Amino acid sequence: MSFSTLGLSDAILRAVAEQGYTTPTPIQAQAIPAVLNGGDLLAGAQTGTGKTAGFTLPVLQRLSTDTAGAALRNKTSKRPIRALVLTPTRELAAQVEESVRLYGKYTNLNSAVIFGGVGINPQIKLLANGVDILVATPGRLLDHMGQGTVDVSKIEILILDEADRMLDMGFIHDIRKVLAALPPKRQNLLFSATFSDEIKALADRLLNNPAMIEVARRNSTVEVISQKIHPVDRDKKHPMLAHLIKTHDWHQVLVFTRTKHGANKLVEQLGKDGIGAMAIHGNKSQSARTKALAEFKDGSLQVLVATDIAARGIDIDQLPHVVNYDLPNVPEDYVHRIGRTGRAGATGQAVSLVCVDEHQMLKDIEKLIKQTLPRDVIPGFEPDPNAKAQPIQLRSGDRGHQNRGGRPGGARNGGGGQRQPAQQPRAAAPHAPAGNGGQARSAGGGNGQRTGNGQRPSGGNGQRSGNGNRGPRPAAARRGGREG
Ligand code: AMP
């Protein structure tokens, strides 16, 4: 199958060809015709499946060829916002808008991205100029709606991207408020990696007789990624990692730690071993995160240490090595983490350093991915068979209550901009920018434009309590912090 059979205009096909895409991915092959049909869509697809182009291409097609919309644009002095994409995080927002701009470069449509953590005034100006396609995080969109600086009354297409993450991050009230302000007659597209009862309830409310598509989940397509567990004692993880990197001469290693403090400490330790490493997490300045990511991408930085949310926006082709220095609290995050490698058919390697404290987490992960991962004990790092599990504690250095300021709290957090830690919160750091900085049409992620780090208050940092027997948790309680 080729893109030319999908009903896209030459302008869009040209932009797609310039990206070097020859064949639509399964989600694209199914979503593009469905969206072009004009009906609602419920799509199950994760990052890495090509879902962004899956909705962006047909939305561009619909808006650029819709004569009613074009007439509307000619009549009014200002372009009304005709499509709205909501995303959970600012980095995803920036990436999606970058895609809109890329694929839409030969159309007459324009786009903008708005998210929290950066000044609102440039965004106000941008919106005042008129925007066809707006990509936004829910919180900042509501800020604009509250101030009357955005008009959502002409929206024809609404896209909820990574809807499950939005709900996990506690955005349901924000989403409801946005929905209430949209014109009732519109096309709705809901993309989600998972289908919890909450997502189904949202889909029931939002979607009208939707087409349904589900493409292979990452956790069933992870075969291209070689996965291994290295059992190790808790205090031997750092020497083991240094050993692995040095003996295999690994480069471009993305290392996940559970906490920001853990990330900083590891960077310091690796530095002493002569291994170049930098950390990205919410306590780092925007410029430090941008620098670390750029050097990592171009291969000059050997190791990037990241917390889960910080890493979510990272899109690096053919990343060879992912290391779980700590296992994630949420099993799904394991799949998200290792999915950073082995993309687009490339083989990748994901290794997890697992100590006795993490055995229950490992069980949860193996249950999710329906695989028992091979154990590989490294000579010289044999774990003590008598070691006792300890609860994974909140580390003092991670108690990050940054005040993002400047927004009404409303249902979100009682107005103070601070959120109380949920029952079992997890690491919450905004992730690195997606590199759209400085673009004329992007009000969001300007490199060096930011003054603060834009982090939402962290609800905690990966604390686990108890003995590792974790019962089912409400999704909202799993996510400690939010962005946008
Ligand atoms: P996404 O799931 O939207 O985050 O996309 C994952 C990656 O796949 C991005 O880096 C895209 O540039 C790339 N991609 C999207 N569509 C295609 C395609 N048809 N062929 C090859 N790569 C693609």
Side-chain angles (χ1 to χ4, degrees):
M1 160 167 300
S2 93
F3 278 100
S4 57
T5 60
L6 290 174
L8 299 168
S9 67
D10 287 346
I12 294 171
L13 290 176
R14 191 171 149 204
V16 168
E18 278 181 15
Q19 289 309 301
Y21 308 161
T22 49
T23 318
T25 64
I27 186 78
Q28 291 162 2
Q30 296 174 71
I32 293 171
V35 178
L36 290 179
N37 260 339
D40 285 0
L41 174 68
L42 178 61
Q46 297 187 331
T47 302
T49 55
K51 69 179 168 65
T52 314
F55 63 78
T56 305
L57 299 177
V59 165
L60 286 164
Q61 173 73 23
R62 293 212 64 205
L63 298 185
S64 60
T65 53
D66 171 35
T67 44
L72 189 68
R73 207 164 56 236
N74 288 339
K75 261 195 229 150
T76 53
S77 54
K78 192 176 116 180
R79 290 166 182 239
I81 299 167
R82 299 173 62 201
L84 170 67
V85 187
L86 289 182
T87 75
T89 65
R90 60 191 195 207
E91 273 73 26
L92 183 62
Q95 270 186 1
V96 167
E97 200 259 348
E98 213 178 331
S99 297
V100 171
R101 219 169 333 123
L102 214 59
Y103 304 136
K105 70 198 264 201
Y106 300 115
T107 69
N108 58 358
L109 299 166
N110 76 357
S111 58
V113 59
I114 56 172
F115 48 68
V118 295
I120 199 164
N121 289 334
Q123 299 178 350
I124 292 174
K125 266 195 203 144
L126 200 67
L127 291 167
N129 289 339
V131 171
D132 295 300
I133 301 172
L134 180 66
V135 186
T137 50
R140 182 51 68 94
L141 178 66
L142 281 178
D143 289 343
H144 281 281
M145 286 165 61
Q147 296 188 22
T149 48
V150 69
D151 177 6
V152 294
S153 68
K154 303 283 188 305
I155 284 170
E156 298 162 43
I157 311 177
L158 169 74
I159 301 106
L160 298 186
D161 192 13
E162 299 201 359
D164 50 346
R165 291 254 164 191
M166 284 201 271
L167 298 192
D168 275 1
M169 291 167 82
F171 281 134
I172 186 66
H173 298 293
D174 291 2
I175 292 172
R176 283 206 190 120
K177 280 187 210 159
V178 173
L179 293 181
L182 300 182
K185 191 171 168 296
R186 57 171 198 269
Q187 183 177 20
N188 300 294
L189 317 177
L190 190 155
F191 283 76
S192 182
T194 54
F195 288 103
S196 62
D197 289 345
E198 278 173 296
I199 286 287
K200 284 183 198 141
L202 177 66
D204 279 349
R205 264 203 315 274
L206 180 70
L207 305 174
N208 183 18
N209 195 18
M212 287 193 251
I213 297 174
E214 187 156 19
V215 296
R217 299 191 43 170
R218 270 244 207 83
N219 37 1
S220 62
T221 56
V222 289
E223 305 82 54
V224 289
I225 304 166
S226 122
Q227 301 170 67
K228 242 188 227 177
I229 301 299
H230 291 309
V232 62
D233 283 335
R234 167 185 325 113
D235 57 349
K236 295 279 166 38
K237 284 192 175 189
H238 151 248
M240 176 185 264
L241 178 62
H243 169 83
L244 288 170
I245 292 173
K246 283 188 172 170
T247 49
H248 300 293
D249 194 24
W250 283 350
H251 286 265
Q252 273 200 321
V253 192
L254 178 60
V255 178
F256 284 94
T257 60
R258 195 174 300 121
T259 67
K260 295 174 240 178
H261 175 67
N264 289 340
K265 194 169 143 201
L266 182 60
V267 164
E268 207 175 286
Q269 288 169 323
L270 290 174
K272 287 185 187 149
D273 301 322
I275 297 169
M278 286 197 226
I280 54 165
H281 55 64
N283 287 359
K284 292 274 172 188
S285 71
Q286 188 59 41
S287 60
R289 287 194 275 156
T290 306
K291 180 170 179 282
L293 196 59
E295 291 185 11
F296 187 62
K297 278 188 175 181
D298 74 19
S300 54
L301 175 67
Q302 194 172 4
V303 178
L304 186 68
V305 185
T307 53
D308 282 291
I309 296 184
R312 216 177 290 148
I314 300 177
D315 183 13
I316 300 164
D317 286 341
Q318 307 191 348
L319 180 62
H321 304 286
V322 169
V323 176
N324 293 306
Y325 189 82
D326 301 312
L327 285 184
N329 297 345
V330 181
E332 286 84 356
D333 279 345
Y334 175 82
V335 179
H336 284 281
R337 286 178 176 190
I338 69 163
R340 305 274 151 219
T341 182
R343 284 209 172 171
T347 51
Q349 204 182 25
V351 305
S352 303
L353 315 192
V354 177
C355 73
V356 64
D357 310 337
E358 298 170 304
H359 285 176
Q360 183 60 40
M361 292 163 145
L362 180 58
K363 267 193 201 159
D364 292 348
I365 289 166
E366 292 183 322
K367 197 168 148 205
L368 176 78
I369 62 173
K370 300 191 178 71
Q371 287 180 48
T372 302
L373 298 171
R375 269 64 169 172
D376 180 12
V377 175
I378 301 196
F381 294 94
E382 295 83 357
D384 174 0
N386 300 317
K388 294 268 178 303
Q390 290 180 9
I392 291 166
Q393 293 291 345
L394 185 75
R395 280 151 226 185
S396 57
D398 291 316
R399 202 173 263 290
H401 280 293
Q402 293 79 6
N403 197 341
R404 57 186 293 282
R407 55 173 301 133
R412 259 170 274 136
N413 50 26
Q418 303 259 336
R419 198 163 176 246
Q420 290 306 310
Q423 212 177 354
Q424 282 184 318
R426 63 188 290 282
H431 32 87
N436 72 334
Q439 300 283 351
R441 286 193 285 168
S442 159
N447 292 345
Q449 286 175 345
R450 295 183 185 197
T451 47
N453 68 5
Q455 186 185 17
R456 280 195 180 235
S458 164
N461 51 14
Q463 179 185 29
R464 265 179 87 218
S465 57
N467 57 9
N469 291 324
R470 293 170 302 137
R473 288 154 293 161
R478 288 190 254 147
R479 307 279 166 190
R482 306 175 315 150
E483 294 181 37

